[in-house]
Amino acid sequence: MRRSLIYFWRMNLAVLLGVTVATAVLTGALLVGDSVRGSLRDLSLDRLGKTDQALVSARFFRADLAQDLLEVLNAKGDSAEVFSAVTLGGSAVHARKGARASRVQIQGIDELFAELFDADISRLGESGPFPAVVVNEALRKELDAQVGDAVLLSFAQPSDIHRESLFGHNELADATQTLRLTLVDVLPDRGMGRFGLRAHQSVPLNAFVSLPVLQKAMGQPNRVNTILVSGKVDSGLDAALSQAATLDDLGIVIWQADSHVSVESTQFVLQPHLADVIQNLADEADLSSLSVLTYLANTIQVNEKDVPYSTVVAMDVKDFGGLTLLDGAVAPALDENEIFLNAWTAKDLGAQVGDTVEIGYFEVGSKEDLITRRAMFRLKGIVAMTGLGGDPTLSPEYPGLQGADDMSAWDAPFPVSLDRIREQDELYWDDYQAAPKAFVSAATGQRLWKSRFGVLTSIRVGVLDRKDSPTIAATLGKNLKTKILPQSVGLVFQPVKERALGASSGATDFGGLFVGFSQFLIVSAALLVGLLFRLGVEQRAKEVGILMATGYDGKAIRKRFMGEALVLAGVGGLLGLAGAVGYAWMMMVGLRTWWVAAVGTSELYLHVNGVSLVLGYVISLVVVLFAIWRTIRRLGRVPVRSLLSGVFGSDVSRTGQRTKGYALGSLILAIGCLVGATGSDATLAVGLSFGCGALLLISGLSFLALWFRRPTSGVLSGLVGMGIRNSVRQPGRSLLCVSLIGCACFVVVAVGANQRVDLTEDVVYDKTSGTGGFSVMAETDVPIYQNLNSEDGRFELGFSEADASVLDAAKVFALRALPGEDVSCLNLYQPQT
């Protein structure tokens, strides 16, 4: 009796321990997922402060737009707060030590911005030899800087005109700006110091500069590119922005003349959708319109004589007033291969109607390189220098050209040979400025000079009476403001807080991930619980026999044991919940310390969710009770005589056809997967190889089960033979142990087989490898327009002779990275766009 009680308590304690482990591991894995999600949510709220929605534009607009938007919202009854700022990406350098930090977020802010975080930035207004800058602790560490040190901030110089276009300045000195500042304060890496609109768990490198200082450095006085909104807007933020925005914010310029109203873009070229809106408004008002595309020709040549650097206009005049020929006739329409020259140019070249005119011009290539192109035309007529024939306003304000006193003073964004400019060219510039010297059809111009930015430089709307010009300009501006949505020009508010909270669910379900990692341990615990409970039942075989002899049937006895198991599982599960909290806490400590390189943040902390506790407890209870039920379901089928004698019965059974089917079927499928993996691509081959291994494992275990159930005659004698006979005596128990060890070995071998460690030179430069054939990848904070494969490009970027020689044996591939969310495994947040 005493021995029976000892077995009873020993087995029950073992079962209790198994249930505790299973519950702790399963529930702890769920709590790890909750903790990661909760930590990401806390980080999102911390970095955004009171910011709910944000507008960040690639182009700058009026700083007063924020105040105008606030007034519109207040008029509609919304109590939101609106803040303006400048947000740039760049780099920072310690002026004395030379330490460099890349991917720096440069924020131009005022004292109102600090209200979003209830922060103190009073020292940002301190005066000194250099303007002040406040950085967060992460950037200070990166630069190894102290308060009072000088810091150089470099960033891309904003430009309304696309730098990838012909008229965009893309030289390094024009495309970048460097500002020397004095470090006056350091913010902790939380709150305002962690501010950032990008969903990422890593600490950003923040530098805060006074808004007027940054605006002056950029040459953008009273202009910003960021608006932040705090508070709920029930009336609709996009509608309010449309009402508050002006044509200047939309990048549209309207100016009026006696005979027309001209609509142009601050970006030099009208975007296609803007051009369509303007054209439709003119048609609806039954007004004549003229679409104009002006381009710069490097040369206009006739009979080996040429005129340098002339503007050429592509347009179809129709009834707009037209071009007038020298004989006073209205100029006819042009075909695609025909051209008009103005009187000055035709005289200078000695050109006659019917001559061949050659136009040489630059075309911007796919890598922003300038390619010289030539086009041949037949001279159809010579136009008088009156009206459109001598109108300098047909040419937009070319950067570096417009306003120059003479052509030799041009600061052109493209190569110009000033020695080609003659005295008569200077006289023409004095008299006519950038008036076009040649005209081609609209179809020809758009075919030759179309770009991804647009095909028109202006649209003119005709005015019948000069007195109507102001009215038509005002009406056109009002209608354009109504028709052109701010969103269509890049002024879009994003619900950053809502998206951040949605993204905090995580790109990877850490709960599921840790459940997967712990699955083997959970299943093992459940199987061992069933095994231990069975051993306990076997030790109490006489008790079961007495119960059955006194009239209890198998169902009643199973119910009795299941009740006992329920109590054990319930108590063990409660103990496991305490262990789950400890397990999750240990995992979070590990993630923010030992494995911080894998998650990219040390700000992961334990978050206990009651739902996960209940879910883990219930699942663990069900799994364990199911394992125990499978163990005791044979009660009632064992003879009472055997039970009274203390024998529960062996699990030896006949070899079943089902086991043979598993063994042979799995083996055949494994061979098929192996054959299929031989001729498949790398991705499919990995899956087939894993499947082949799993099938071989199933087949091997099935064959082992058959071997365990074979007759024991002829078994080896001695210690080995005794072990074999013992394994055959309890084949189910033996197969369980082998299965646990086999599955563990399979997981270890499968993971190790897919680990790539042979990063030899051949592998690195293989285009099919994980490196894509590239040995080095670099990302710049500001765009690079120079060709790193050329000596001139390296020289312009400031490469020394020694540094440039390193690239002689390499080939550089230039790529354009568009703004967006980080969808790599380095970002724990779930991408929202």
Side-chain angles (χ1 to χ4, degrees):
M1 183 67 180
R2 182 180 179 184
R3 180 178 298 178
S4 179
L5 289 174
I6 291 174
Y7 278 127
F8 172 78
W9 287 110
R10 184 180 295 172
M11 292 299 103
N12 282 350
L13 287 174
V15 170
L16 193 68
L17 180 61
V19 176
T20 302
V21 171
T23 306
V25 173
L26 175 60
T27 310
L30 297 177
L31 290 180
V32 169
D34 292 334
S35 299
V36 172
R37 287 188 291 270
S39 298
L40 293 180
R41 178 184 176 87
D42 293 344
L43 290 177
S44 297
L45 297 176
D46 185 44
R47 67 179 172 83
L48 292 174
K50 300 175 185 177
T51 305
D52 291 294
Q53 301 198 57
L55 181 156
V56 180
S57 172
R59 48 183 300 275
F60 282 69
F61 47 84
R62 295 178 306 117
D64 292 337
L65 177 60
Q67 182 61 35
D68 295 343
L69 177 62
L70 179 61
E71 292 176 0
V72 172
L73 293 175
N74 289 338
K76 292 183 176 183
D78 293 311
S79 58
E81 296 180 273
V82 183
F83 307 87
S84 60
V86 170
T87 302
L88 300 173
S91 61
V93 178
H94 193 290
R96 179 172 54 84
K97 298 180 181 179
R100 179 180 297 272
S102 59
R103 297 187 179 183
V104 177
Q105 293 184 166
I106 303 172
Q107 320 284 353
I109 62 173
D110 54 21
E111 62 278 0
L112 296 177
F113 180 89
E115 296 179 4
L116 290 168
F117 302 91
D118 297 326
D120 180 16
I121 57 168
S122 56
R123 300 198 63 183
L124 199 60
E126 292 183 3
S127 59
F130 301 103
V133 62
V134 173
V135 304
N136 65 349
E137 179 64 19
L139 181 54
R140 187 205 66 77
K141 288 182 180 179
E142 193 81 4
L143 297 177
D144 190 22
Q146 304 297 328
V147 173
D149 290 350
V151 175
L152 303 177
L153 292 182
S154 298
F155 47 86
Q157 181 72 13
S159 172
D160 285 334
I161 298 175
H162 299 285
R163 297 194 184 277
E164 298 90 344
S165 66
L166 177 63
F167 300 102
H169 285 270
N170 54 25
E171 294 83 4
L172 187 63
D174 296 316
T176 60
Q177 179 66 281
T178 299
L179 187 60
R180 187 182 180 98
L181 304 147
T182 300
L183 179 59
V184 297
D185 200 3
V186 179
L187 298 176
D189 291 335
R190 60 180 183 273
M192 183 173 164
R194 200 183 188 96
F195 171 72
L197 301 176
R198 186 172 63 101
H200 204 284
Q201 73 278 3
S202 60
V203 181
L205 304 178
N206 279 332
F208 299 95
V209 183
S210 174
L211 182 58
V213 170
L214 193 56
Q215 289 172 330
K216 181 179 179 181
M218 295 184 302
Q220 299 282 344
N222 300 317
R223 300 185 78 81
V224 296
N225 70 338
T226 301
I227 294 179
L228 305 176
V229 176
S230 174
K232 187 177 180 182
V233 179
D234 297 320
S235 60
L237 200 53
D238 291 334
L241 181 63
S242 298
Q243 187 175 342
T246 64
L247 291 179
D248 182 26
D249 300 320
L250 302 177
I252 297 174
V253 178
I254 296 180
W255 57 272
Q256 59 192 46
D258 291 342
S259 61
H260 65 272
V261 172
S262 182
V263 184
E264 298 177 0
S265 171
T266 57
Q267 294 181 303
F268 190 78
V269 178
L270 285 168
Q271 298 179 30
H273 71 277
L274 296 181
D276 292 340
V277 171
I278 298 167
Q279 187 66 60
N280 291 336
L281 288 176
D283 294 341
E284 291 173 4
D286 198 22
L287 297 172
S288 59
S289 61
L290 177 65
S291 299
V292 179
L293 171 60
T294 304
Y295 208 77
L296 187 70
N298 295 332
T299 181
I300 300 177
Q301 184 174 346
V302 177
N303 297 327
E304 298 185 355
K305 291 184 178 182
D306 69 285
V307 173
Y309 306 118
S310 310
T311 55
V312 180
V313 168
M315 63 183 186
D316 292 331
V317 177
K318 299 180 181 177
D319 57 349
F320 196 83
L323 295 168
T324 304
L325 299 179
L326 286 180
D327 59 6
V330 177
L334 291 171
D335 290 335
E336 284 203 19
N337 63 339
E338 295 177 333
I339 192 172
F340 289 136
L341 296 178
N342 67 8
W344 186 95
T345 307
K347 180 179 179 181
D348 188 64
L349 295 174
Q352 301 293 327
V353 174
D355 285 349
T356 298
V357 180
E358 180 179 332
I359 301 290
Y361 59 93
F362 281 134
E363 178 183 288
V364 181
S366 59
K367 298 180 180 178
E368 279 73 58
D369 50 338
L370 294 179
I371 304 171
T372 300
R373 302 292 190 189
R374 296 188 178 276
M376 310 298 290
F377 300 92
R378 185 181 70 85
L379 181 58
K380 188 168 185 177
I382 300 173
V383 298
M385 300 291 294
T386 58
L388 292 176
D391 188 354
T393 62
L394 282 173
S395 300
E397 295 189 2
Y398 290 103
L401 279 63
Q402 204 75 17
D405 293 333
D406 47 50
M407 295 180 68
S408 60
W410 281 3
D411 180 21
F414 45 83
V416 174
S417 298
L418 296 178
D419 56 353
R420 293 183 55 207
I421 299 175
R422 307 162 301 170
E423 183 178 353
Q424 57 264 43
D425 298 323
E426 293 285 9
L427 293 175
Y428 184 91
W429 182 263
D430 293 338
D431 294 336
Y432 301 103
Q433 288 290 302
K437 296 177 183 177
F439 300 86
V440 297
S441 67
T444 299
Q446 294 179 15
R447 174 174 56 84
L448 296 177
W449 305 315
K450 179 181 180 180
S451 72
R452 68 178 186 270
F453 308 113
V455 295
L456 298 177
T457 51
S458 66
I459 295 179
R460 293 188 171 190
V461 178
V463 176
L464 297 178
D465 189 337
R466 59 185 300 178
K467 296 180 181 179
D468 296 333
S469 183
T471 303
I472 291 178
T475 302
L476 188 60
K478 180 180 179 181
N479 291 337
L480 282 174
K481 188 173 175 298
T482 303
K483 294 287 185 180
I484 300 176
L485 298 177
Q487 296 89 332
S488 66
V489 295
L491 302 183
V492 183
F493 273 102
Q494 303 290 345
V496 290
K497 181 168 289 186
E498 178 184 336
R499 287 186 175 178
L501 296 179
S504 62
S505 60
T508 300
D509 182 5
F510 274 77
L513 183 65
F514 274 80
V515 168
F517 287 159
S518 308
Q519 185 176 6
F520 173 76
L521 186 59
I522 296 170
V523 173
S524 299
L527 293 177
L528 288 174
V529 165
L531 177 61
L532 293 173
F533 197 86
R534 175 170 179 165
L535 291 175
V537 172
E538 289 179 359
Q539 297 297 326
R540 298 161 63 188
K542 290 183 179 181
E543 177 186 340
V544 175
I546 293 172
L547 290 173
M548 294 185 69
T550 56
Y552 286 89
D553 59 5
K555 183 178 180 180
I557 296 174
R558 286 194 296 270
K559 185 177 181 181
R560 183 186 184 95
F561 276 104
M562 283 300 295
E564 183 180 311
L566 181 61
V567 173
L568 287 172
V571 174
L574 292 176
L575 295 175
L577 292 182
V581 175
Y583 171 83
W585 177 82
M586 290 177 60
M587 290 298 102
M588 300 312 294
V589 171
L591 285 174
R592 66 173 180 263
T593 54
W594 306 316
W595 308 314
V596 67
V599 296
T601 181
S602 58
E603 301 293 327
L604 298 179
Y605 297 98
L606 177 65
H607 288 68
V608 179
N609 189 332
V611 175
S612 294
L613 291 176
V614 174
L615 185 62
Y617 180 80
V618 171
I619 293 176
S620 302
L621 207 64
V622 170
V623 170
V624 169
L625 290 177
F626 177 74
I628 293 175
W629 173 81
R630 285 182 57 86
T631 299
I632 63 175
R633 64 178 179 170
R634 291 182 59 235
L635 285 175
R637 297 200 296 265
V638 181
V640 176
R641 181 180 298 176
S642 298
L643 292 172
L644 289 174
S645 63
V647 178
F648 188 77
S650 174
D651 57 2
V652 176
S653 61
R654 295 180 180 177
T655 300
Q657 294 297 324
R658 183 180 299 177
T659 306
K660 289 182 180 179
Y662 289 154
L664 295 175
S666 299
L667 181 60
I668 293 172
L669 290 175
I671 295 173
C673 289
L674 183 61
V675 173
T678 304
S680 304
D681 58 56
T683 303
L684 183 59
V686 171
L688 290 175
S689 300
F690 189 86
C692 178
L695 290 169
L696 285 175
L697 178 62
I698 295 173
S699 178
L701 292 174
S702 300
F703 278 118
L704 185 62
L706 293 173
W707 186 81
F708 278 150
R709 289 178 170 86
R710 82 197 193 293
T712 58
S713 59
V715 176
L716 295 173
S717 60
L719 186 61
V720 174
M722 184 175 65
I724 293 176
R725 285 193 298 272
N726 185 62
S727 65
V728 172
R729 178 176 175 273
Q730 296 289 346
R733 192 179 304 169
S734 301
L735 185 63
L736 172 63
C737 296
V738 174
S739 299
L740 294 177
I741 297 173
C743 290
C745 293
F746 173 73
V747 171
V748 173
V749 172
V751 172
N754 287 278
Q755 183 179 8
R756 193 65 178 266
V757 294
D758 54 335
L759 290 179
T760 61
E761 185 172 314
D762 293 338
V763 172
V764 170
Y765 295 115
D766 182 4
K767 292 183 180 180
T768 63
S769 69
T771 67
F774 298 104
S775 57
V776 177
M777 188 181 79
E779 185 174 338
T780 62
D781 295 306
V782 297
I784 290 180
Y785 304 97
Q786 291 70 27
N787 184 3
L788 281 170
N789 292 309
S790 69
E791 292 185 6
D792 292 340
R794 298 171 195 168
F795 177 78
E796 187 175 346
L797 289 172
F799 279 78
S800 66
E801 192 171 323
D803 292 337
S805 63
V806 176
L807 295 176
D808 288 339
K811 184 175 183 181
V812 179
F813 293 83
L815 307 174
R816 178 179 286 110
L818 298 177
E821 297 185 42
D822 181 3
V823 296
S824 72
C825 59
L826 301 178
N827 188 10
L828 299 183
Y829 284 92
Q830 185 181 59
Q832 297 293 291
T833 56

